[in-house]
Amino acid sequence: MSTPEPDQGFAEFFRTCLPVVTRTLTALTGDTRVVEDVAQDALLIARHRWDDIHAYDKPEAWVLKVAIRLMRRWQQRHQHETPLVTVPDVAEQVHEVEALHAALRELSPRHRETVALHHLLGYSVSEIASVLLVSESTVRTHLTRGRAELRRILGGSDE
């Protein structure tokens, strides 16, 4: 019996993590032009540090942190450009998801990040604090304010 090579472990991690990072960045930004590239760049950085991060409790949180930073940098460099918007299929569920994503994009960046990480990916307050490099009380504040703003944007819905 042979032991798996480190690259095999990363290959599996890449396959499971790429869709999570891509969905998260899409929900946070709505900018589909570069989401895949940024997600792959973050995973490339993870590959170079795989010896360290593979032992983390949630290595995908580390990748998300890197991906969010890369996306912020890209947005700062290209903020004058108009983002492309994809038109979803006519399925009702897709419209609801797109409405939520559109509402999320109206939030401030920190509110958007905390709400998405908590409600879309199921991260705990402490995990979000670690990903965003802020205190847990700051995360709770952003969650409270972000949810209130989402309710306002979505017409009073608590969902």
Side-chain angles (χ1 to χ4, degrees):
M1 200 183 253
S2 65
T3 58
E5 295 180 31
D7 284 342
Q8 289 176 323
F10 182 77
E12 179 60 26
F13 176 75
F14 183 92
R15 279 190 293 278
T16 60
C17 192
L18 180 63
V20 171
V21 174
T22 302
R23 281 192 311 266
T24 302
L25 291 176
T26 300
L28 293 175
T29 67
D31 193 338
T32 58
R33 293 177 293 179
V34 296
V35 164
E36 187 83 19
D37 289 340
V38 169
Q40 288 181 6
D41 287 348
L43 281 157
L44 180 62
I45 293 167
R47 174 62 188 105
H48 291 294
R49 303 221 22 224
W50 187 240
D51 289 342
D52 295 326
I53 69 166
H54 83 278
Y56 293 174
D57 287 339
K58 286 202 167 194
E60 68 274 3
W62 186 91
V63 175
L64 276 170
K65 181 183 350 181
V66 171
I68 288 169
R69 286 182 183 164
L70 291 172
M71 193 66 178
R72 285 180 188 159
R73 287 184 196 138
W74 188 91
Q75 287 173 321
Q76 288 170 350
R77 286 191 307 266
H78 298 91
Q79 60 186 223
H80 64 280
E81 298 176 12
T82 305
L84 299 175
V85 178
T86 59
V87 179
D89 292 334
V90 294
E92 184 65 29
Q93 188 176 19
V94 172
H95 289 296
E96 290 173 7
V97 169
E98 183 55 33
L100 175 60
H101 288 178
L104 277 170
R105 289 189 295 271
E106 290 186 39
L107 300 178
S108 71
R110 281 300 182 174
H111 292 166
R112 178 174 51 241
E113 291 164 358
T114 55
V115 168
L117 289 171
H118 185 70
H119 292 289
L120 298 181
L121 293 176
Y123 278 46
S124 70
V125 168
S126 62
E127 291 168 333
I128 295 168
S130 174
V131 168
L132 298 179
L133 301 173
V134 297
S135 70
E136 290 183 24
S137 63
T138 299
V139 170
R140 286 189 291 274
T141 299
H142 288 315
L143 279 173
T144 300
R145 291 178 182 166
R147 287 179 193 133
E149 189 67 7
L150 272 179
R151 279 191 296 277
R152 185 193 65 73
I153 293 167
L154 295 171
S157 171
D158 288 323
E159 295 179 24

